Amino acid sequence: MIINSAEYLLSSPDLKHCPKGDIPEFAFAGRSNVGKSSLINMLTDRKNLAKTSGKPGKTRMMNFFLINESWRLVDLPGYGYAGVSKDMRKDWLEMMGEYIVKREQLANIFVLIDSRITPQKIDIEFLNWLGEYEIPFAIVFTKTDKLKGLTQARNINAFKAKLSESWESLPPIFISSSVSGKGKKEILDYITTIIKSR
Ligand code: GTP
Ligand code: MG
């Protein structure tokens, strides 16, 4: 897929204020600082479409971007980071849960996982929660440019093993780097397939 146009639409704190219209949406979720906004910029070839930051907690609302005037990317706030309290995670689910569960336009959620670290409970819990509500998702391992191949493979395999404890089959999995552009074609192809099948 070639991205001809990418424009910021609006930011919304809740389901009620999301854009209208029957247009497929692809949302990006994951812990703060995992690279959601950076991945959106990488996929669209726009440096500052989504605002990024070295400090976790940059994205505070759901940000909608219209792509090729026919589908949307949705940048979600992070669902917590090291040191964040359980209450804040609960707040996140209260804020985003309704969008994720009820949004008819939502075609797929990409759940971003930091490839540099061992499996985190909060990520597994979120994936299991998506499973309970039968929300279609794919996993994207991020920041793979920062890692040697072996460590990367070890972390990703550990994560898959952890997932297999609660899932019979694994979701689509992508390996990405917003610095090198790795994974871009695969993710855009996946989005194209879903749009065509709707
Ligand atoms: P919140 O909005 O706070 O939830 O974070 P986010 O998930 O949107 O992360 P963001 O895209 O703002 O990136 C966080 C930091 O990680 C920034 O300093 C990025 O430059 C860096 N980063 C993101 N993706 C990559 C990547 O693929 N490789 C490297 N090396 N750095 C990355
Ligand atoms: Mg962000």
Side-chain angles (χ1 to χ4, degrees):
M1 168 167 358
I2 296 164
I3 309 283
N4 294 311
S5 65
E7 55 172 303
Y8 167 75
L9 280 177
L10 56 82
S11 303
S12 169
D14 53 30
L15 180 62
K16 217 169 70 204
H17 296 90
C18 291
K20 308 270 177 294
D22 184 19
I23 287 184
E25 287 172 359
F26 296 84
F28 294 76
R31 292 186 311 128
S32 298
N33 207 47
V34 70
K36 301 174 292 294
S37 303
S38 303
L39 182 60
I40 287 179
N41 292 336
M42 185 270 263
L43 292 173
T44 54
D45 264 326
R46 309 296 196 275
K47 267 208 179 80
N48 291 310
L49 185 66
K51 302 280 174 294
T52 66
S53 167
K55 274 214 323 251
K58 175 70 180 173
T59 310
R60 297 283 183 172
M61 291 208 259
M62 302 182 241
N63 296 316
F64 290 82
F65 302 96
L66 181 64
I67 312 298
N68 290 354
E69 293 175 25
S70 58
W71 53 280
R72 299 187 191 118
L73 291 174
V74 188
D75 192 9
L76 301 179
Y79 53 65
Y81 43 93
V84 88
S85 74
K86 260 226 156 95
D87 284 352
M88 186 178 153
R89 293 170 188 178
K90 216 177 114 231
D91 289 350
W92 185 90
L93 211 53
E94 266 163 25
M95 214 169 104
M96 297 306 136
E98 196 182 18
Y99 168 83
I100 294 172
V101 173
K102 295 190 182 158
R103 182 76 166 168
E104 286 173 8
Q105 291 92 328
L106 183 61
N108 181 86
I109 297 195
F110 291 101
V111 181
L112 277 58
I113 307 287
D114 191 331
S115 66
R116 299 170 302 171
I117 55 177
T118 52
Q120 303 289 301
K121 199 167 158 221
I122 189 171
D123 292 325
I124 304 282
E125 280 174 1
F126 179 60
L127 293 172
N128 290 344
W129 182 87
L130 290 176
E132 275 171 40
Y133 287 94
E134 298 182 15
I135 312 292
F137 68 87
I139 291 176
V140 181
F141 288 99
T142 63
K143 306 193 182 184
T144 57
D145 57 280
K146 285 199 168 180
L147 272 190
K148 289 211 185 74
L150 265 179
T151 322
Q152 179 183 310
R154 192 167 61 218
N155 288 345
I156 291 174
N157 285 335
F159 196 89
K160 285 182 182 169
K162 197 85 199 150
L163 263 192
S164 301
E165 291 173 11
S166 37
W167 292 79
E168 271 176 32
S169 58
L170 293 178
I173 289 175
F174 300 97
I175 312 279
S176 81
S177 163
S178 297
V179 171
S180 75
K182 185 179 171 127
K184 180 179 178 187
K185 183 183 182 299
E186 290 80 1
I187 294 170
L188 288 177
D189 284 351
Y190 175 73
I191 290 175
T192 307
T193 309
I194 294 179
I195 291 174
K196 281 189 180 150
S197 71
R198 272 169 78 91

